Amino acid sequence: MTSPLFMLFCASSLFAVFTPGPTVMLALQNSTQYGWRRTTLSSLGNVSGLLLLSTASAIGLGALLRSSAVLFFGLKLIGAGYLIYLGVRQWLSASVAADCGHGSAQHRSRASLYREGLLLALTNPKAILFITALFPQFIVHDLPLWPQFVVLTLTFMGLSFSALMTYAVAGHLARGGFISALQSRAFRRGSGSLFIVMGVGLLGLKSR
């Protein structure tokens, strides 16, 4: 892979990972509730999911999803259902926070936070199609495939993790502005509503 081609890949990836979406909303949500350090766990889960998706893409899952309407629709339902679940959970946590008082946060285990990020990545068909569509554009066919794929995958994972942690730190710093239970509850319900909207919007995603 040539240097100009790699720089173009980095620029395209940066635009993609910093564009707000479900993973960004999850980073913001977790950082405002649990702090940026614990949000590292869900972000690591997300990039682990990207690694699995990239590997699956390399062996042809992306092409299979584009060719099979039934399989793609099934994955959309799973992904949309998970996003809506996250949204509803945010609404319920807002009610719990209101009952328990400002600043209270439900305890979440490290495994739970990691698993949440992982599942969000694996149930997002947009991520699969993005990786499938983006990576081949930066592969030099005269060179060995797998080394290039490894470099692209690790670079994309690193940029994605950096973006998520940037949002997590920003969300953690902004948490100090939630000086009342009402504002905290409004934020959680707002982020929950966005998850639900993204879940419904995912149902309109086309495979091609």
Side-chain angles (χ1 to χ4, degrees):
M1 183 188 304
T2 62
S3 295
L5 192 62
F6 180 70
M7 294 303 294
L8 181 59
F9 170 78
C10 290
S12 302
S13 299
L14 279 172
F15 176 78
V17 298
F18 274 97
T19 300
T23 56
V24 168
M25 286 304 306
L26 182 64
L28 288 171
Q29 166 194 304
N30 286 340
S31 66
T32 56
Q33 292 186 52
Y34 312 114
W36 70 268
R37 289 182 178 84
R38 293 187 70 83
T39 304
T40 302
L41 297 166
S42 60
S43 299
L44 286 173
N46 185 261
V47 297
S48 298
L50 293 179
L51 176 61
L52 294 176
L53 291 180
S54 179
T55 303
S57 174
I59 61 177
L61 178 59
L64 179 60
L65 282 173
R66 289 197 303 270
S67 62
S68 173
V70 174
L71 181 60
F72 185 77
F73 181 70
L75 185 59
K76 279 202 306 183
L77 286 180
I78 295 172
Y82 188 61
L83 285 173
I84 292 171
Y85 159 76
L86 290 177
V88 171
R89 194 182 69 185
Q90 273 294 90
W91 269 82
L92 294 177
S93 72
S95 298
V96 170
D99 293 337
C100 297
H102 175 55
S104 63
Q106 294 176 312
H107 176 72
R108 294 285 303 281
S109 68
R110 292 180 174 87
S112 174
L113 289 167
Y114 178 86
R115 184 171 57 250
E116 185 176 59
L118 178 65
L119 289 175
L120 187 59
L122 294 179
T123 56
N124 186 2
K126 293 179 68 175
I128 299 176
L129 295 179
F130 176 80
I131 290 175
T132 305
L134 179 69
F135 281 22
Q137 310 303 319
F138 298 94
I139 294 292
V140 179
H141 297 287
D142 295 334
L143 299 176
L145 172 63
W146 279 102
Q148 296 182 78
F149 216 87
V150 169
V151 170
L152 293 178
T153 299
L154 293 180
T155 301
F156 189 68
M157 289 172 61
L159 294 175
S160 179
F161 182 77
S162 298
L164 292 177
M165 292 312 299
T166 298
Y167 278 107
V169 171
H172 178 76
L173 294 175
R175 182 173 61 172
F178 298 132
I179 57 176
S180 69
L182 180 61
Q183 288 173 308
S184 178
R185 183 173 57 194
F187 174 80
R188 295 189 189 190
R189 287 183 173 175
S191 61
S193 298
L194 284 175
F195 272 119
I196 294 172
V197 169
M198 286 186 287
V200 174
L202 187 60
L203 293 175
L205 180 66
K206 304 295 182 182
S207 62
R208 59 184 180 273

